[in-house]
Amino acid sequence: MAKIEPTVVTPASTEPPVSTPPPASGPAPEAMAPAAEPRKLDQLSRIEEKAARIEEKFARYEAVLTRAEASLERSAQKVDAAAGTMDFAAIRGEIAALRSRIDATPRAGTLFVTALVTAVLTVILTILVLKFGVPGLFGGLLPR
């Protein structure tokens, strides 16, 4: 599409035109007026057409910019919503990991059973070492 550049036209003066008497040998003023009038109307209509095209272009650009602004607004809202849910998702993940670690730790009953088994095994092993000794180091200290 070819770019149409506006032409710079000097504004028409609002003062009434100054009429100068034509030379005696020239055409009569009545003959000049009709020829100048269509040319001015033609130029005015071209200016109006150019102004209308410029207004249409402006309206199209304005519509495009309005749609782009609305699209950016929607995108920004989606990003804000996603950022908010990502934070909650990360916190939920950390809480779930912490909960699984807590669930994996032994409870009080398990700790008491482990302590009791350890104590009983320690007593049994101590009695066996005292009775039979450690081979190569010392003999049994208790009578057999």
Side-chain angles (χ1 to χ4, degrees):
M1 176 160 71
K3 185 175 181 182
I4 301 173
E5 294 290 331
T7 58
V8 178
V9 179
T10 58
S13 68
T14 57
E15 298 177 12
V18 178
S19 61
T20 58
S25 64
E30 298 84 24
M32 286 180 30
E37 192 68 27
R39 196 172 27 178
K40 287 182 181 177
L41 289 176
D42 186 40
Q43 186 178 13
L44 181 63
S45 68
R46 281 185 282 156
I47 291 171
E48 287 175 348
E49 287 175 7
K50 284 184 180 183
R53 284 193 299 249
I54 291 171
E55 287 176 359
E56 288 173 7
K57 279 186 179 182
F58 178 75
R60 282 195 302 264
Y61 288 136
E62 189 176 23
V64 167
L65 289 175
T66 303
R67 285 194 304 266
E69 183 180 5
S71 176
L72 285 174
E73 184 78 26
R74 285 191 306 271
S75 298
Q77 289 174 354
K78 287 180 182 178
V79 167
D80 285 342
T85 57
M86 286 176 53
D87 291 342
F88 290 129
I91 291 171
R92 276 190 223 117
E94 289 181 24
I95 289 174
L98 183 61
R99 182 168 306 188
S100 67
R101 287 182 64 190
I102 289 172
D103 290 341
T105 57
R107 303 283 188 249
T110 307
L111 291 174
F112 287 132
V113 170
T114 304
L116 185 63
V117 168
T118 304
V120 170
L121 286 176
T122 304
V123 169
I124 292 173
L125 287 174
T126 304
I127 291 173
L128 288 174
V129 166
L130 287 176
K131 190 164 193 153
F132 299 107
V134 178
L137 289 178
F138 60 91
L141 301 174
L142 297 175
R144 288 187 189 185

